[in-house]
Amino acid sequence: MGRRARGRRLQQQQQRPAGSEDGAEGGGKRVEAGWEGGYPEIIKENKLFEHYYQELKIVPEGEWEQFMEALREPLPATLRITGFKRYPEELAWHTNLSRKILRKSPQLEKFHQFLVSETESGNISRQEAVSMIPPLLLSVQPHHKILDMCAAPGSKTTQLIEMLHADMNVSFPEGFVIANDVDNKRCYLLVHQAKRLSSPCIMVVNHDASSIPRLQIDVGGRKEVLFYDRILCDVPCSGDGTMRKNIDVWKKWSTLNSLQLHGLQLRIATRGAEQLAEGGRMVYSTCSLNPIEDEAVIASLLEKSEGALELADVSSELPGLKWMPGILQWKVMAKDGQWFTDWDAVPHSRHTQIRPTMFPPKDPEKLQAMHLERCLRILPHHQNTGGFFVAVLVKKSSMPWNKRQPKLQGRSAETRESAQLSPADPTEGQPADPSRLESPSVTETGDTEIIRTAENLENNGNKKDGVCGPPPSKKMKLFGFKEDPFVFIPDDDPLFPPIEKFYALDPSFPKMNLLTRTTEGKKRQLYMVSKELRNVLLNNSERMKVINTGIKVWCRNNSGEEFDCAFRLAQEGIYTLYPFINSRIITVSMEDVKILLTQENPFFRKLSSETYSQAKDLAKGSIVLKYEPDSANLDALQCPIVMCGWRGKASIRTFVPKNERLHYLRMMGVEVSGEKKKEGAIPASEVTDSTTDGTGQPDNQESDEQGAGEATSVDAAGCDPVGDPPR
């Protein structure tokens, strides 16, 4: 088959008219495009799409041409600077350049390298403008417990993490983010995104969002159901609002996509509402313009809640944002193009494709009370963005099928809400049967039984203290990867006292939050989580599949025992760890930082006398290098820097990932010209010291062989500065 296909392709190339290149129609179209081209042009037309949305009247009268014209234009690239304020206070930037132009233009090569490097180091996020809206409308506070139900690839998750860390002086906020995704492989993309921000308050889990398990936590020695203060419900959708960047949607779009996804979206939203705390806020969002995926889901959820949920009026929360109110009336189109305005008119043969929850409520009073106009629909031509839909729901009381449950541990109605849908839900993209959602009473005592079962398992002596492994289910071994356990360091572990002494850790250091990923052999790496996530981990190991949590704070050296401490500091967790370290801290100047970041093992004599006087009396081993800004010198860098380093025999080296190193150099005004060179090389503009040979290595024969040996042993331990995130 492969040989035949290649033969056909060769024949087609020979038959092309002269001047026709890259498969483009019209002769020199691709030649004119230059670096832009490469793929056949997709015709940006879909008559069914146009007919459908013109009939539904989601676009204001007289604006249809502008709407379609905007959809056919490439989506502008946008980026968000990592920060903890609201946008667009100069922390979110909108360009007039498409992603393709940024990637392919020779003139923008340096700018593109800058974007990639800063994104990898977590300082910016390249995120679509409308995608930033749902986290903003959640109004997150640092103490909030947050669930992101369909989190991959993770751009919204990183926003939520940033909001938790609004106070940079607090290493461990009281809140946390549990980021979930049904796709095991996409969970690792989510881990990569979250790791850029180095937060101890994020946990990535792998579950079907429509049946995500109810978790429990320990409160004063009692097991209580975990309810979330904020829930982001950014559900899988047909994605017709993304036509500007996903141009395949033009030829693939049909009404069937929405009909198939509606049931899944409603089940996910229902499960989210069940797990929301009273007074909490849930944002439901899609990148679809279709009311079957948008208003129909919200209307059905509100109707089922019987007053437990209500739509919040958020019209004043994002001033400057242009949006259209939700629509109150719509109709449903079947796969063959036939319209239905009422469920009663749908023939029995179509009942598997079209469901009653897809239609607006018949009762005018009930419809008016829902306030569907409070939903937000963002149209592409209004602010040169993608299309999007957002609805903000506030929970007033328990869902009606939870109110009849017996009290759990004497708690209020808020914590009695613990119904769970049947786990046998259809997979994403399949037609859903809403009848399963209309009879929730069958699971009224489901979570109570789960908690009792978990307590029995924990009390039967088979579960090891402090070990949080994946659920011991055969099903988990069949799907996805088997994860290593999460093992908390016990109080009497001999591993910790040498670390505590070597770094003079403050008595307030929460050592109970340290964990490893192995139950046997040497512990290679130590991670840290917040105490709230520790509580979640310890009380839910039997029902939750955790992919990743915690930030790396220490790595083992193979030869570390020679230096009084077997573990060196890891840059990933240094900003969390630094407030607790009282020893082995060297304060460096801005010139010292430049030298340390551009030369691999600079001798003490290359550094300032102040730095040398601090380093000369320290024993060999891991150190903290701290730069404090000088407010009197406004030309100097005005933000603090904390780096991990190694004090060798006669030199100091840093252990900073490449992209973070480039970031610090940029902030100090150093022209970084060697981004693609091997890590550790000196930028050409910085080769000013005659004692180097141009490679960053001293030409003195008394080179610090001990320092080089230490660097090798560190890397051999699987703990290099730019190593992959732990699995």
Side-chain angles (χ1 to χ4, degrees):
M1 284 295 291
R3 208 177 299 128
R4 289 178 187 171
R6 285 194 296 272
R8 282 196 300 270
R9 196 178 303 123
L10 183 61
Q11 189 177 5
Q12 289 167 358
Q13 289 173 352
Q14 291 170 346
Q15 292 174 353
R16 277 186 201 145
S20 175
E21 296 187 15
D22 295 320
E25 297 179 7
K29 189 179 285 188
R30 281 295 165 213
V31 177
E32 292 173 11
W35 43 265
E36 288 186 8
Y39 295 99
E41 196 72 38
I42 289 180
I43 305 301
K44 295 180 180 179
E45 272 188 27
N46 189 308
K47 296 298 181 186
L48 180 62
F49 172 87
E50 294 191 42
H51 168 65
Y52 183 79
Y53 281 117
Q54 280 180 319
E55 194 73 24
L56 290 177
K57 295 181 171 57
I58 66 160
V59 178
E61 193 173 345
E63 296 184 17
W64 181 258
E65 290 304 320
Q66 299 98 298
F67 170 73
M68 291 304 299
E69 189 178 332
L71 280 178
R72 292 187 179 105
E73 289 295 318
L75 185 70
T78 49
L79 60 93
R80 176 171 52 79
I81 299 170
T82 300
F84 310 109
K85 297 179 182 178
R86 294 296 182 265
Y87 317 112
E89 293 177 10
E90 298 190 357
L91 288 177
W93 294 78
H94 177 112
T95 74
N96 290 323
L97 305 169
S98 70
R99 293 186 303 167
K100 185 167 71 173
I101 291 175
L102 279 175
R103 285 197 305 267
K104 302 291 185 181
S105 171
Q107 295 92 335
L108 296 172
E109 183 181 2
K110 280 190 176 181
F111 181 55
H112 183 250
Q113 287 178 356
F114 161 79
L115 291 178
V116 171
S117 173
E118 294 294 333
T119 300
E120 282 300 310
S121 58
N123 297 303
I124 65 173
S125 292
R126 297 158 77 185
Q127 181 181 358
E128 191 177 344
V130 289
S131 174
M132 303 178 194
I133 295 170
L136 294 176
L137 291 177
L138 275 176
S139 300
V140 169
Q141 299 297 321
H143 64 276
H144 283 156
K145 297 182 266 302
I146 307 164
L147 173 64
D148 191 349
M149 299 189 75
C150 309
S155 56
K156 298 180 187 69
T157 307
T158 57
Q159 266 184 280
L160 297 173
I161 296 170
E162 291 172 27
M163 293 172 183
L164 280 183
H165 291 273
D167 186 349
M168 291 288 289
N169 297 316
V170 178
S171 299
F172 296 99
E174 291 181 25
F176 56 78
V177 177
I178 294 180
N180 173 71
D181 202 84
V182 68
D183 189 316
N184 186 268
K185 291 181 180 178
R186 282 166 62 87
C187 281
Y188 294 96
L189 178 61
L190 182 54
V191 169
H192 176 73
Q193 282 274 44
K195 285 291 175 186
R196 297 184 304 121
L197 297 189
S198 300
S199 170
C201 305
I202 171 71
M203 179 189 294
V204 176
V205 299
N206 179 206
H207 290 280
D208 179 351
S210 64
S211 57
I212 190 168
R214 174 81 74 210
L215 303 183
Q216 65 182 38
I217 52 176
D218 186 286
V219 180
R222 299 182 305 173
K223 296 287 169 58
E224 298 188 352
V225 175
L226 171 62
F227 286 87
Y228 299 96
D229 303 297
R230 297 289 187 268
I231 293 181
L232 177 57
C233 189
D234 186 51
V235 296
C237 65
S238 60
D240 57 19
T242 68
M243 282 179 157
R244 300 183 69 178
K245 65 176 182 179
N246 299 322
I247 55 177
D248 278 355
V249 178
W250 282 98
K251 59 181 180 181
K252 293 179 179 177
W253 187 91
S254 77
T255 58
L256 186 61
N257 297 335
S258 297
L259 299 178
Q260 289 179 329
L261 286 165
H262 170 86
L264 175 66
Q265 293 162 338
L266 182 54
R267 290 197 305 279
I268 292 174
T270 302
R271 190 59 179 155
E274 288 175 344
Q275 301 212 20
L276 187 64
E278 288 184 29
R281 181 178 276 208
M282 181 174 88
V283 169
Y284 175 89
S285 62
T286 75
C287 48
S288 169
L289 302 173
N290 200 324
I292 307 301
E293 303 177 65
D294 299 340
E295 285 92 346
V297 173
I298 296 299
S300 179
L301 184 60
L302 290 171
E303 190 169 12
K304 289 167 54 177
S305 76
E306 298 178 7
L309 299 172
E310 72 173 33
L311 274 169
D313 183 358
V314 293
S315 56
S316 61
E317 292 191 17
L318 289 177
L321 177 68
K322 295 180 182 177
W323 51 275
M324 296 298 298
I327 60 177
L328 304 183
Q329 293 295 331
W330 60 91
K331 46 189 178 177
V332 179
M333 179 191 277
K335 182 181 178 182
D336 61 0
Q338 184 179 358
W339 288 100
F340 296 98
T341 56
D342 190 277
W343 167 247
D344 296 333
V346 180
H348 192 269
S349 60
R350 300 286 181 88
H351 282 190
T352 56
Q353 184 185 120
I354 299 175
R355 302 300 298 157
T357 53
M358 297 177 182
F359 294 90
K362 287 183 179 180
D363 186 343
E365 290 185 6
K366 186 183 288 186
L367 180 63
Q368 187 177 2
M370 287 181 177
H371 294 291
L372 291 178
E373 71 280 357
R374 292 178 178 175
C375 299
L376 280 61
R377 180 176 275 104
I378 291 97
L379 299 178
H381 64 293
H382 282 167
Q383 286 183 299
N384 197 15
T385 63
F388 213 71
F389 176 87
V390 189
V392 181
L393 295 153
V394 175
K395 191 169 185 179
K396 296 298 184 181
S397 62
S398 295
M399 302 298 276
W401 54 88
N402 298 134
K403 292 178 180 176
R404 297 184 292 275
Q405 275 193 220
K407 283 190 177 182
L408 178 64
Q409 302 284 355
R411 289 278 283 172
S412 64
E414 177 184 323
T415 54
R416 293 201 300 271
E417 182 188 342
S418 53
Q420 181 173 358
L421 295 175
S422 168
D425 287 321
T427 56
E428 289 188 23
Q430 292 181 350
D433 184 1
S435 62
R436 295 174 55 200
L437 297 170
E438 293 163 4
S439 54
S441 59
V442 295
T443 58
E444 283 177 359
T445 57
D447 287 320
T448 307
E449 292 170 3
I450 286 173
I451 292 174
R452 287 174 185 158
T453 305
E455 288 174 345
N456 291 338
L457 283 169
E458 290 167 7
N459 294 332
N460 66 7
N462 293 331
K463 186 175 184 295
K464 295 180 181 178
D465 290 339
V467 179
C468 310
S473 158
K474 290 182 181 178
K475 186 177 179 182
M476 289 300 182
K477 294 178 184 176
L478 291 173
F479 300 101
F481 302 104
K482 186 178 184 299
E483 292 299 322
D484 294 326
F486 296 83
V487 186
F488 285 96
I489 305 295
D491 286 340
D492 57 353
D493 195 314
L495 173 145
F496 185 71
I499 296 175
E500 187 176 31
K501 181 181 178 183
F502 191 71
Y503 297 102
L505 294 180
D506 194 86
S508 64
F509 177 74
K511 64 180 181 180
M512 67 174 65
N513 298 346
L514 284 176
L515 59 85
T516 65
R517 298 298 302 270
T518 179
T519 53
E520 299 174 356
K522 278 190 174 182
K523 299 173 177 67
R524 311 295 295 181
Q525 299 170 344
L526 301 183
Y527 307 94
M528 176 163 277
V529 296
S530 65
K531 66 176 183 179
E532 287 78 14
L533 276 188
R534 179 181 187 273
N535 192 344
V536 174
L537 271 171
L538 287 175
N539 289 287
N540 298 281
S541 62
E542 302 299 328
R543 67 176 70 88
M544 182 174 62
K545 185 181 178 186
V546 181
I547 298 296
N548 196 284
T549 191
I551 53 169
K552 189 194 306 178
V553 288
W554 278 292
C555 301
R556 181 183 288 275
N557 273 342
N558 280 349
S559 55
E561 286 79 359
E562 302 172 20
F563 309 109
D564 299 328
C565 180
F567 288 86
R568 74 167 181 86
L569 298 164
Q571 183 68 23
E572 179 183 319
I574 190 60
Y575 283 94
T576 298
L577 206 55
Y578 175 74
F580 302 100
I581 298 175
N582 293 312
S583 177
R584 305 192 62 78
I585 300 172
I586 297 177
T587 303
V588 293
S589 67
M590 194 169 89
E591 289 305 314
D592 288 333
V593 174
K594 290 180 183 179
I595 292 170
L596 289 164
L597 292 178
T598 56
Q599 300 184 26
E600 200 163 328
N601 285 303
F603 283 120
F604 290 153
R605 55 187 166 80
K606 290 188 177 182
L607 304 172
S608 65
S609 57
E610 292 84 358
T611 298
Y612 172 68
S613 64
Q614 296 173 75
K616 64 184 177 67
D617 295 328
L618 286 178
K620 286 181 285 190
S622 188
I623 55 173
V624 177
L625 299 161
K626 176 69 185 291
Y627 166 75
E628 289 284 2
D630 181 5
S631 56
N633 181 11
L634 297 180
D635 293 331
L637 181 64
Q638 291 299 306
C639 66
I641 295 176
V642 183
M643 302 180 293
C644 295
W646 187 271
R647 196 276 195 205
K649 184 178 180 181
S651 68
I652 291 177
R653 74 164 293 177
T654 56
F655 285 105
V656 179
K658 176 184 175 181
N659 289 313
E660 193 170 341
R661 182 180 304 184
L662 294 174
H663 169 69
Y664 292 143
L665 288 172
R666 285 191 196 99
M667 288 200 303
M668 292 182 290
V670 176
E671 177 65 30
V672 182
S673 57
E675 290 193 20
K676 294 184 179 179
K677 294 181 181 179
K678 181 181 176 183
E679 185 179 353
I682 309 174
S685 60
E686 287 300 297
V687 183
T688 56
D689 195 313
S690 61
T691 61
T692 65
D693 60 7
T695 64
Q697 295 292 339
D699 59 3
N700 192 317
Q701 293 300 314
E702 297 177 10
S703 63
D704 191 359
E705 70 281 353
Q706 182 64 51
E710 290 153 5
T712 304
S713 69
V714 168
D715 292 345
C719 222
D720 61 284
V722 267
D724 292 332
R727 289 261 310 272

